[in-house]
Amino acid sequence: MANNRPNSIFKRRKMIVIAVITACFGFALGATEWAQADSPTAPALSISTNTAPQQALVALPDFTPIIDRYGPAVVNISSTTNKVIHQQNNPFPPNSPFYQFFHHFMPPGQNGPGPQQHEKIQSLGSGFIISPDGYIVTAGHVVRGANHIVVTLTNHHAYPAKLIGLSVRYDTALLKIDAKNLPTAPLGNSDDLKVGQWLLAVGAPFGFYNTVTQGVVSAMNRPLPDDEYIPFIQSDVPINPGNSGGPLFNMKGQVVGINDQIYTNSGGYMGLSFSIPINTVMRVVQDFKNHKAIQFGYLGVEVQDVTPQMAQALRLKEPVGALIASVMPGSPAAKAGIRPGDVIVTYNNNPVYNVGQLPPMVGNTVPGTRVKVGILHRGTAETKEVLVTALPKNMAEQTSSQVPTSPAKVGKVSRMGIHVQSLTPIIEKRLDVHHGVVVVGVGEGAAAEAGIMPGMIIQQIDQRDVNSPAELERIVAGLPANQPIPLLVRQGKASVYVVVTLPKK
């Protein structure tokens, strides 16, 4: 057995050597065959080719017809704005801890702002021609405050432009250049857009003129916090600074929106683009061309979202609609019998799923129109007919959250952990309120957990009006424990519903 082991190893090595020799021999034979194939007497190698046109395996949209036909209607817009800068003689701003230190060393008369300097700020945007005689639509922020506007066509002809009209609420502007027989872009119907449809954007991102990008509709009627009157088209079309004001085309080559803004953390495109629907744009543009003042529909309510907890407190089946926190006295809503605590679920036969959908619907309603408003009043469905009026021009916003106090009877609501006092004539006049109690002290308990703070006015609890501390204490005493209860509070001139959960007695 001891002699067999070395022999077996040797045999394996021998087999390996033979295998290597065989492989080398085979390679040599293969090389000989290739050499023969390359020789003049060898037959030529035949390669099969098919020159017939092949059909695409995947059908993708071809955007070239849109660009060839309507691309010349897209323009580049450059604007110049003069900005006044006040030079500070003191090198530090007034809120700096070093400001006062240098203030004492400045010569008399040089402690205030220094001389003015004018700085020119240039910006780039896009737009599109809507009529052969030179009317051009763009985004309002592209030309807002501009002293000089220049429009450049795709043939590189440049024209000074006149601003015909600009709406900040709709972020839309209408320009006019002195030219004729210009190419135009046809307008579509943005109400016909569906999620998933292809879109095409043309503009000048970062100054790169006539750039084309594509994507699909991601969502419709998307509300944004700073533009409550615009039901945005959300898409994944790549747009960047400089695209603003450019057209958004559908596959028919029709303009269905103007590119307006993006959601970004970096300043560049991150997959969320927002465009103003062309139907909204043209409503403003027609008023500009007719030299009419732009009017917005007015309902006269303050609304908030219906959270799942609030829906439970209001005894609703699902958290949908816009919860009315307050109704302006004498407003269209007040005249129609709409009250705080009602939930708007339809407007003019269109569903209202969340609070962001309602302002664009109301704002785009022509004043003088009668609309049907579907509400839930204490969970019961009702329909109110409202005569929508124009938004008052003198509506002022109240930013103060402080309520003036004066001697009044103070009551304690132990179950909520608060001290309240009745309204005084000063409070009623200052805040234009006519019922409720003022919170003057908050301890540990249900009110503190709900976010109630001193200075707030409690107007309702469980959708029942509160007129005195004694009435609030009486209502609270009869409410169930460990269940969400709607509580209407007012801070400054803004009303909002919160949810409070009361402990056991």
Side-chain angles (χ1 to χ4, degrees), residues 59 72 137 139 166 263 348 357 386 449 483:
V137 172
L166 186 149
Y263 179 87
N348 201 20
Q357 291 179 289
V386 182
E449 293 173 0
Q483 291 187 16

Coordinates of all heavy atoms in Angstrom, one line a residue, residues 59 72 137 139 166 263 348 357 386 449 483:
A59 N -42.5 50.1 -29.6 CA -43.0 51.4 -30.1 C -42.9 52.5 -29.1 O -43.6 52.5 -28.1 CB -44.5 51.1 -30.5
P72 N -40.6 76.4 -33.7 CA -40.3 77.8 -33.9 C -41.2 78.8 -33.1 O -40.9 80.0 -33.1 CB -40.6 78.0 -35.5 CG -40.3 76.6 -36.0 CD -40.8 75.7 -35.0
V137 N -46.9 84.3 -24.3 CA -47.3 83.9 -22.9 C -46.0 83.3 -22.2 O -45.3 82.6 -22.8 CB -48.4 82.8 -22.9 CG1 -48.6 82.3 -21.5 CG2 -49.7 83.4 -23.4
A139 N -44.3 82.6 -17.8 CA -44.6 82.6 -16.4 C -44.4 84.0 -15.8 O -43.4 84.7 -16.2 CB -43.7 81.6 -15.7
L166 N -49.8 91.0 -15.9 CA -49.1 90.0 -15.1 C -50.0 89.7 -13.8 O -50.5 90.6 -13.2 CB -47.7 90.5 -14.6 CG -46.8 89.5 -13.9 CD1 -45.4 89.7 -14.2 CD2 -47.0 89.5 -12.4
Y263 N -39.8 70.8 -7.6 CA -39.5 70.5 -6.2 C -38.0 70.0 -6.2 O -37.7 69.0 -6.8 CB -40.4 69.4 -5.7 CG -40.1 69.1 -4.2 CD1 -40.7 69.8 -3.2 CD2 -39.3 68.0 -3.9 CE1 -40.5 69.5 -1.9 CE2 -39.0 67.7 -2.6 CZ -39.6 68.4 -1.6 OH -39.4 68.1 -0.3
N348 N -69.5 72.3 -7.2 CA -70.0 72.4 -8.5 C -69.9 71.0 -9.2 O -69.5 70.9 -10.3 CB -69.1 73.4 -9.3 CG -69.8 73.9 -10.6 OD1 -71.0 73.8 -10.7 ND2 -69.1 74.4 -11.5
Q357 N -57.7 71.1 -2.9 CA -58.4 71.1 -4.1 C -59.4 72.2 -4.2 O -59.8 72.7 -5.2 CB -59.1 69.8 -4.3 CG -58.2 68.6 -4.6 CD -59.0 67.3 -4.8 OE1 -59.6 66.8 -3.9 NE2 -59.1 66.9 -6.1
V386 N -74.8 78.2 -3.7 CA -74.0 79.4 -3.3 C -73.8 80.3 -4.5 O -73.5 79.9 -5.6 CB -72.6 79.0 -2.7 CG1 -71.9 80.3 -2.2 CG2 -72.8 78.0 -1.5
E449 N -52.3 68.8 25.8 CA -51.9 67.7 24.8 C -52.5 68.0 23.4 O -51.9 67.6 22.4 CB -52.5 66.4 25.3 CG -51.8 65.9 26.6 CD -52.4 64.6 27.2 OE1 -53.4 64.2 26.6 OE2 -51.9 64.1 28.2
Q483 N -62.3 59.5 24.0 CA -62.8 59.6 22.6 C -62.4 60.9 22.0 O -62.5 61.9 22.7 CB -64.3 59.4 22.6 CG -64.8 58.0 22.9 CD -66.3 57.9 22.7 OE1 -66.9 58.7 22.0 NE2 -66.9 56.8 23.2

